[in-house]
Amino acid sequence: MLDDFLTRAALAATGLSLATGPLGSFVVWRRMAYFGDATAHAAILGVALALATDLPIGLGTLVVALAMAVTVAALSSRGWAMDTTLGVLAHSALAFGLVAVSFFPTVRTDLSAWLFGDILAVSRTDLAVIWGGALLVLALLAWRWQALLTATLSEDLAHAAGIRPDRERLVLVIALALVVALALKIVGALLIAAMLIIPAAAARALARTPEAMALGAVVIGMVAGLGGLGLSLWQDTPAGPSIIVVASGLFALTALRQRG
């Protein structure tokens, strides 16, 4: 079964949705959309680092994404203006990454795969990494779920309950870096944030509890993944962007339902 590239792609999209659903819900609740974008943009710098040091691409991406996320979290806790900090770091990391990749001529023609993803090229090893990483993110979020919800609702309430908001922020930062590393090959650096935000935003219009929203985001992400692959196969469109197009359509439907 796994010899079929389309089956592997479908399993990869499904595995990624398991992680992006609940994590994306926290991104929406905490209004961290630009934070996720900055971490995703840093992924291209991670690709360059991996190529320069002969490291696996996923490891290089994870290291740089984690460094970016921790840096942003540290600066925000010191009172730096978040939108300005994220803007500077996100675009700087992307530019440095694109310049660094240009020193590797064999990679230039494949750069679009890192920017927009190449889910149809997912291998068995990639599939194992994606599912293993997704389950790790799920376990991390499940372990800290109640504390994360409390810290998201109110930092004062978290302090009163003996919860350290900065520690919970670090948990989200680590999970975000892991998801960026997992999603790079599927939807690419420019579309990772969309996969985090759009399914969660769509589920928000349908859910009445945080848990229902997280579960709804997983389901919508899976439908978007499979629907995007179907659209790509039908119209011969890029698979990564097609997944986001379907996710956007689902968001529009839930928004119309909420208005009605």
Side-chain angles (χ1 to χ4, degrees), residues 156-181:
D156 292 334
L157 183 62
H159 282 299
I163 297 169
R164 292 175 51 193
D166 57 336
R167 182 178 60 190
E168 306 313 319
R169 191 182 302 113
L170 182 61
V171 169
L172 286 179
V173 162
I174 292 172
L176 189 59
L178 281 170
V179 167
V180 166

Side-chain angles (χ1 to χ4, degrees), residues 8-243:
R8 291 197 301 270
L11 288 173
T14 301
L16 179 63
S17 298
L18 290 175
T20 56
L23 182 59
S25 298
F26 280 106
V27 169
V28 169
W29 292 329
R30 286 175 168 253
R31 299 181 179 180
M32 293 172 62
Y34 206 8
F35 190 107
D37 219 20
T39 307
H41 283 180
I44 295 299
L45 185 57
V47 171
L49 174 67
L51 292 172
T53 57
D54 291 327
L55 289 172
I57 296 294
L59 180 58
T61 302
L62 177 60
V63 168
V64 174
L66 188 57
M68 169 67 82
V70 170
T71 299
V72 172
L75 292 176
S76 64
S77 66
R78 295 183 181 182
W80 285 53
M82 181 57 67
D83 57 345
T84 303
T85 302
L86 287 173
V88 171
L89 292 178
H91 295 98
S92 296
L94 180 60
F96 274 108
L98 292 173
V99 169
V101 166
S102 71
F103 288 101
F104 300 90
T106 57
V107 181
R108 292 184 192 180
T109 56
D110 297 326
L111 190 56
S112 62
W114 304 114
L115 293 175
F116 302 107
D118 192 8
I119 189 172
L120 298 179
V122 167
S123 66
R124 292 189 180 196
T125 301
D126 293 330
L127 203 54
V129 171
I130 289 166
W131 273 84
L135 293 176
L136 181 60
V137 170
L138 270 181
L140 183 63
L141 294 178
W143 173 49
R144 304 302 304 166
W145 183 261
Q146 198 57 51
L148 284 168
L149 281 178
T150 304
T152 299
L153 180 64
S154 169
E155 290 197 359
D156 292 334
L157 183 62
H159 282 299
I163 297 169
R164 292 175 51 193
D166 57 336
R167 182 178 60 190
E168 306 313 319
R169 191 182 302 113
L170 182 61
V171 169
L172 286 179
V173 162
I174 292 172
L176 189 59
L178 281 170
V179 167
V180 166
L182 294 176
L184 185 64
K185 190 159 190 175
I186 297 177
V187 292
L190 298 184
L191 302 175
I192 292 172
M195 194 60 187
L196 283 166
I197 298 163
I198 296 176
R204 189 175 195 173
L206 306 175
R208 293 175 178 261
T209 66
E211 291 78 12
M213 178 173 162
L215 180 59
V218 170
V219 173
I220 291 172
M222 289 180 179
V223 172
L226 298 178
L229 287 173
L231 175 62
S232 175
L233 188 64
W234 176 42
Q235 292 294 329
D236 195 25
T237 54
S242 296
I243 290 172

